[in-house]
Amino acid sequence: MKFERPFNFYAGPAILPFEVMKDIKDELLNFRNTGLSVMEISHRSKEFDTVVDETIALVRDLLAVPDDYSVLFIQGGASIHFAMIPLNFLGDGTADYVDTGAWAKKAIKEAENLGKVNIAASSEDKNYSYIPDTFNFTENAKYVHITGNETINGTQYKEFPNTGNVPLIADMSSEIMSRKIDVSKFGMIYAGAQKNISIAGVSLVILKNSLLDNANNSLPTMLKYKTYVEKKSMFNTPPVFAIYVMNKVLNWLKKNGGVESIEKINEQKAKLLYDVIDSGDFYIGTADKNCRSNMNVTFRLKDEELEKKFIEEAKNEGFIGVKGHRSVGGCRASIYNAMPLEGVKYLAEFMKDFQNKNS
Ligand SMILES: *Cc1c(COP(=O)(O)O)cnc(C)c1O
């Protein structure tokens, strides 16, 4: 390997800014002059309470979250929301779901266990290679659920559906903070943190408070969004280390110009790889060009043997994790916020090189 440290293209848990990890290492044994580690102090201590306040403020600032929304930290990953959303908001109504791939399907499965679901659109007919642009919405649906970025299939909404007065709920696990969004267009946004904003153990939720007006109040305490809103996500012990890491990552993002700056770099990074893919027929992009993901670049080579060779040689060169998800095969380079432009440039060069040697 020609690099000091490999470039990490894993889909999740995923790359963290190196600077952030060094910073965490430096203060691991002495957090903010307490003489203790952040891992061992009380979540009710003034020092940790400040971390929570700061992290909420950073989320609000970076995404321009309107005042009538709450910012929450919830354990259970993004997947807990697949169940919590219908438990809280579905009741005896109908929810609309857009089926764009593996993650959408998981959300749909949980909702179907709990109530009435209408599939408003699906791209299953073409192997989830695109994002539908026409929707068969239910009148007075309780909510519409979409998956902003399909991590496995490599597709991403370029424009979000207009759902009128029906709350739009989006799983943004693999794209949160990667591009500017208008939060006011959503009823709720949620994201597992381990792809773009922290480590595994916490999910971030941005919730319009008015959604609680009609929420189910007879759920177990821990499964009610209301509990997290009322207790500032600290009804019980929150995942303190994961929230602390989120604080660090968001500070890093802010220092580097915020979401607007990173969005431009993310576009540049994705273009580098898609340009190589489009330069011939050696690499075959699996997503339609108009809905390709800027976070997860998915492609195939002419056969599985060549893919295996590609993944192996990439690894030996220092590009880790370019293997596609086990459910779809192929190759995938995940290029989240923390992946430096330089790393993608090197990967693009390697891909061109590999193409020259193997075609
Ligand atoms: C990774 C991922 C999830 C699952 O997140 P967990 O935190 O493991 O539950 C859900 N949705 C999307 C879009 C993802 O990329």
Side-chain angles (χ1 to χ4, degrees):
M1 187 179 77
K2 63 183 176 188
F3 310 113
E4 211 172 302
R5 221 173 163 263
F7 287 105
N8 176 3
F9 291 91
Y10 276 126
I15 186 169
L16 285 165
F18 190 56
E19 229 180 289
V20 165
M21 286 192 286
K22 277 199 295 196
D23 189 18
I24 290 170
K25 179 175 175 238
D26 285 346
E27 67 176 21
L28 196 63
L29 301 182
N30 183 5
F31 169 65
R32 294 190 181 180
N33 294 320
T34 54
L36 302 172
S37 170
V38 70
M39 295 185 290
E40 59 178 346
I41 63 169
S42 167
H43 61 293
R44 308 276 177 210
S45 65
K46 183 171 95 317
E47 288 85 3
F48 189 74
D49 196 55
T50 307
V51 172
V52 172
D53 286 337
E54 283 173 10
T55 313
I56 292 171
L58 280 161
V59 172
R60 288 193 175 284
D61 179 32
L62 287 163
L63 289 176
V65 177
D67 288 344
D68 57 331
Y69 285 70
S70 295
V71 173
L72 314 173
F73 309 115
I74 300 182
Q75 301 194 45
S79 301
I80 196 79
H81 303 290
F82 296 166
M84 271 177 80
I85 291 162
L87 282 171
N88 279 264
F89 307 126
L90 183 50
D92 55 9
T94 299
D96 286 340
Y97 278 75
V98 181
D99 178 17
T100 46
W103 289 115
K105 254 207 147 44
K106 285 198 171 182
I108 290 165
K109 189 165 169 252
E110 293 292 294
E112 282 177 341
N113 281 335
L114 294 161
K116 274 193 277 211
V117 167
N118 166 51
I119 306 300
S122 171
S123 52
E124 194 172 11
D125 59 337
K126 287 186 182 157
N127 247 332
Y128 295 122
S129 57
Y130 69 104
I131 299 280
D133 58 6
T134 49
F135 307 94
N136 178 20
F137 290 134
T138 310
E139 213 176 298
N140 297 319
K142 293 288 180 169
Y143 60 85
V144 174
H145 182 280
I146 61 167
T147 310
N149 182 75
E150 279 285 358
T151 324
I152 292 174
N153 308 89
T155 56
Q156 186 173 30
Y157 284 80
K158 299 300 158 181
E159 229 173 283
F160 296 107
N162 181 354
T163 58
N165 286 329
V166 177
L168 178 61
I169 298 183
D171 175 0
M172 294 198 175
S173 294
S174 49
E175 64 161 345
I176 188 88
M177 303 276 174
S178 72
R179 57 169 166 166
K180 271 178 73 177
I181 48 166
D182 180 353
V183 174
S184 72
K185 295 261 160 48
F186 296 86
M188 175 175 153
I189 292 165
Y190 66 100
Q194 68 274 19
K195 284 160 188 151
N196 229 357
I197 49 174
S198 183
I199 55 171
V202 71
S203 63
L204 172 68
V205 172
I206 302 171
L207 176 72
K208 191 171 187 172
N209 294 330
S210 60
L211 258 68
L212 295 179
D213 296 347
N214 299 312
N216 182 356
N217 247 325
S218 55
L219 295 170
T221 313
M222 289 290 288
L223 295 178
K224 283 193 278 197
Y225 286 112
K226 193 168 171 225
T227 303
Y228 297 84
V229 173
E230 286 176 349
K231 303 289 180 188
K232 206 171 79 180
S233 302
M234 290 199 280
F235 167 74
N236 73 328
T237 316
V240 287
F241 197 72
I243 296 171
Y244 162 79
V245 175
M246 194 188 298
N247 179 289
K248 292 279 179 201
V249 172
L250 297 185
N251 266 310
W252 167 86
L253 179 57
K254 188 173 174 182
K255 204 177 81 189
N256 286 284
V259 174
E260 207 164 319
S261 294
I262 208 87
E263 179 173 12
K264 290 199 189 95
I265 298 169
N266 286 335
E267 281 166 4
Q268 254 178 293
K269 288 183 328 198
K271 188 171 184 306
L272 282 170
L273 298 185
Y274 287 125
D275 279 351
V276 175
I277 290 169
D278 293 339
S279 67
D281 49 16
F282 186 80
Y283 298 104
I284 307 142
T286 59
D288 279 11
K289 283 187 185 172
N290 61 352
C291 39
R292 281 169 162 174
S293 169
N294 281 348
M295 294 282 100
N296 311 97
V297 176
T298 51
F299 55 95
R300 305 213 65 133
L301 282 77
K302 80 170 189 290
D303 57 50
E304 273 177 41
E305 208 162 309
L306 197 58
E307 283 168 353
K308 231 172 115 184
K309 186 171 179 216
F310 173 82
I311 293 160
E312 189 59 31
E313 284 186 24
K315 188 176 163 200
N316 292 338
E317 286 284 307
F319 308 109
I320 309 293
V322 293
K323 195 171 179 300
H325 190 267
R326 61 189 185 282
S327 64
V328 295
C331 306
R332 169 178 56 177
S334 297
I335 47 174
Y336 300 118
N337 285 357
M339 170 58 66
L341 180 61
E342 185 202 13
V344 181
K345 276 186 184 155
Y346 285 130
L347 178 63
E349 274 167 31
F350 166 76
M351 286 172 71
K352 280 185 243 170
D353 235 41
F354 186 86
Q355 175 174 350
N356 290 338
K357 285 184 190 141
N358 292 278
S359 40

